[in-house]
Amino acid sequence: MTAARVGVFGLLGSGNLGNDGSLEAVLGYLRAEHPEAVVDALCGGPEVVTARYRIPATRLHWYRGEYRTASRAGAVAGKGLGKLVDVVRTAAWVRRHDVVIVPGMGVLEATLPLRPWGFPYSLFLLCASGRLLRTRVALVGVGAGPIGNRATRALVRWSARLATYRSYRDELSRDAMRAMGVDTARDEVHPDLAFALPTSPTLRAGEPSGPPGTVCVGVMAFHGGDDDRARAEEIHRRYLDGTTRFVRTLVEDGRPVRLLIGDEVDRTVVDAILDAVDSPLVTAADAASLAELMKEMAAADSVVAARYHNLVCALKVGTPTLALSYAAKSDALMAEMGLAAYCHPAREVDADRLLEQFRALEQRSVELRRTLVERNLAATRRLEHQFTALTAAAFPATDHTHAHATQETP
């Protein structure tokens, strides 16, 4: 049987640890279940992906300044030309594959600022090329949400309709796509792909191993969502001020605080807090992967975090966690893991209320650790079904050719 040609697609290797963790989970699945597969990537950071995961990778965009704001005429022209060139580049790349997997990530949502002609356009090109060239495109464990911008919503809707296979990381995502007019009758919901990542044997859920009282605080360069552009700086200032005050109070109580990021852009927030809270009790971790984040969080008594995959990591290692929630997906994740009461709005951080919730969390620490052990076992079982379903949809046993079934006729 001919080896399957598998592509992975997305903003991978671009500094977001959650995106790369989702890729790592899918690569683990492919190596375990389809070791004969020939894998390469079309992604945001090809050099990083090739160096870290040892697979060939191609740059997602022809124009290298794609995610910089274009103000000069030359830059605007370059972006415009890039959009045309990428039609051909994407189709040529898709043609070389039997299946393309989009591994997790919030590719069908706009909970953070997003332009329609950025990644939504790229995803549409992928899914349209797959349909035209009879290459299976699988959106695996992705996040989705309501989208206000009409152009972005149209691109996301058509991308989903054109995909061969779809699964979601929560019920909210499936509901959002149904509300956009996508037929989700055969779409399944499974835990986030990061729950499939291996946990080091030294990270035993429920047993903190760090200095007594350590609190991990996962920070984020948060400026609101796609509909908050007019208030972006106000939202960021309130988030930063509230988080800084929270950290300062922990330090005054003698608690060691470990600052964590989930994306390279978060380092400015770490620096701002370190400048504002001048204490040897506050240190910054240099975690470069979800595995390293999990190691930090397993050593802590508690975690307070904003980024979605920071929350996933903390919950996966069984550490009591309080979410600074910036989107419904965080609330849904916390509810699924039995911690619905421990969410605080990232847009309106109230340090006093946050401290109240944090102290309530710590009072129930032993009970919550037991709950997380049970919920993690359930998540692992459900993800086994996710990968079984993906194999059935994307790797038909009798066919590794380009005669592909589709899920929905647009």
Side-chain angles (χ1 to χ4, degrees):
M1 183 179 293
T2 304
R5 300 164 296 172
V6 181
V8 289
F9 176 96
L11 293 178
L12 310 165
S14 301
N16 184 285
L17 303 188
N19 290 0
D20 291 354
S22 299
L23 169 63
E24 188 177 340
V26 165
L27 291 178
Y29 150 74
L30 290 172
R31 287 163 182 159
E33 301 298 327
H34 305 280
E36 79 291 345
V38 178
V39 183
D40 73 312
L42 185 62
C43 60
E47 298 86 359
V48 172
V49 167
T50 295
R52 185 174 296 166
Y53 304 109
R54 299 184 180 181
I55 60 174
T58 302
R59 186 172 298 280
L60 181 59
H61 301 289
W62 174 80
Y63 181 63
R64 287 177 176 263
E66 174 61 35
Y67 292 105
R68 294 194 296 268
T69 300
S71 55
R72 292 182 302 174
V76 173
K79 273 197 173 185
L81 178 60
K83 299 304 176 191
L84 297 176
V85 174
D86 285 344
V87 173
V88 178
R89 290 178 72 253
T90 302
W93 182 80
V94 168
R95 184 188 291 274
R96 298 198 299 267
H97 298 85
D98 299 300
V99 58
V100 175
I101 297 174
V102 181
M105 306 178 286
V107 297
L108 303 177
E109 65 181 47
T111 52
L112 297 175
L114 184 69
R115 299 292 188 189
W117 306 114
F119 187 77
Y121 175 74
S122 299
L123 183 66
F124 171 74
L125 290 184
L126 170 76
C127 296
S129 297
R131 178 59 67 96
L132 290 170
L133 300 171
R134 300 171 66 80
T135 294
R136 294 179 285 268
V137 174
L139 309 181
V140 183
V142 298
I147 298 174
N149 182 282
R150 183 177 299 178
T152 302
R153 187 169 63 249
L155 288 166
V156 162
R157 179 173 60 246
W158 278 101
S159 296
R161 285 178 169 175
L162 291 166
T164 309
Y165 171 86
R166 297 178 298 270
S167 66
Y168 307 100
R169 62 189 180 192
D170 52 43
E171 294 283 354
L172 290 172
S173 296
R174 182 166 62 182
D175 292 346
M177 295 315 298
R178 183 183 299 121
M180 286 189 209
V182 176
D183 181 0
T184 62
R186 287 183 286 173
D187 298 356
E188 296 183 339
V189 173
H190 303 281
D192 188 85
L193 289 172
F195 280 104
L197 291 173
T199 302
S200 168
T202 62
L203 304 185
R204 298 180 61 190
E207 299 180 11
S209 57
T214 299
V215 180
C216 282
V217 177
V219 302
M220 179 179 182
F222 179 61
H223 293 79
D226 203 43
D227 297 329
D228 297 319
R229 293 178 186 271
R231 299 176 53 231
E233 287 309 312
E234 173 195 343
I235 289 171
H236 179 66
R237 176 49 53 192
R238 183 161 187 174
Y239 163 78
L240 180 58
D241 288 349
T243 304
T244 301
R245 185 179 165 196
F246 174 72
V247 170
R248 184 179 290 115
T249 303
L250 291 177
V251 169
E252 290 170 354
D253 290 343
R255 304 292 294 271
V257 175
R258 194 80 164 138
L259 300 177
L260 306 174
I261 65 170
D263 192 296
E264 287 298 319
V265 300
D266 301 334
R267 292 192 184 278
T268 58
V269 179
V270 170
D271 293 342
I273 293 174
L274 289 173
D275 288 344
V277 186
D278 185 12
S279 168
L281 287 175
V282 185
T283 56
D286 193 25
S289 68
L290 293 193
E292 292 177 11
L293 277 181
M294 285 190 275
K295 184 176 180 180
E296 293 280 351
M297 292 169 166
D301 278 10
S302 306
V303 174
V304 178
R307 281 201 180 271
Y308 181 83
H309 280 100
N310 278 20
L311 296 174
V312 170
C313 287
L315 297 167
K316 180 171 169 57
V317 298
T319 302
T321 303
L322 198 161
L324 284 174
S325 176
Y326 67 88
K329 62 184 179 183
S330 299
D331 298 337
L333 172 66
M334 295 292 284
E336 183 68 26
M337 298 302 286
L339 280 78
Y342 303 104
C343 296
H344 188 93
R347 282 176 175 77
E348 300 176 356
V349 178
D350 180 329
D352 293 332
R353 173 61 181 148
L354 182 60
L355 281 163
E356 286 179 18
Q357 290 180 284
F358 176 74
R359 286 165 181 152
L361 175 83
E362 293 213 308
Q363 286 174 359
R364 293 183 59 204
S365 178
V366 173
E367 173 192 349
L368 294 175
R369 286 178 182 274
R370 286 197 298 264
T371 297
L372 288 173
V373 169
E374 297 168 0
R375 299 297 173 101
N376 273 296
L377 288 172
T380 299
R381 288 193 296 268
R382 291 173 59 202
L383 274 171
E384 290 173 358
H385 179 67
Q386 161 68 95
F387 292 129
T388 299
L390 177 57
T391 291
F395 299 90
T398 59
D399 179 19
H400 282 311
T401 71
H402 282 247
H404 309 326
T406 56
Q407 188 173 38
E408 177 184 348
T409 301

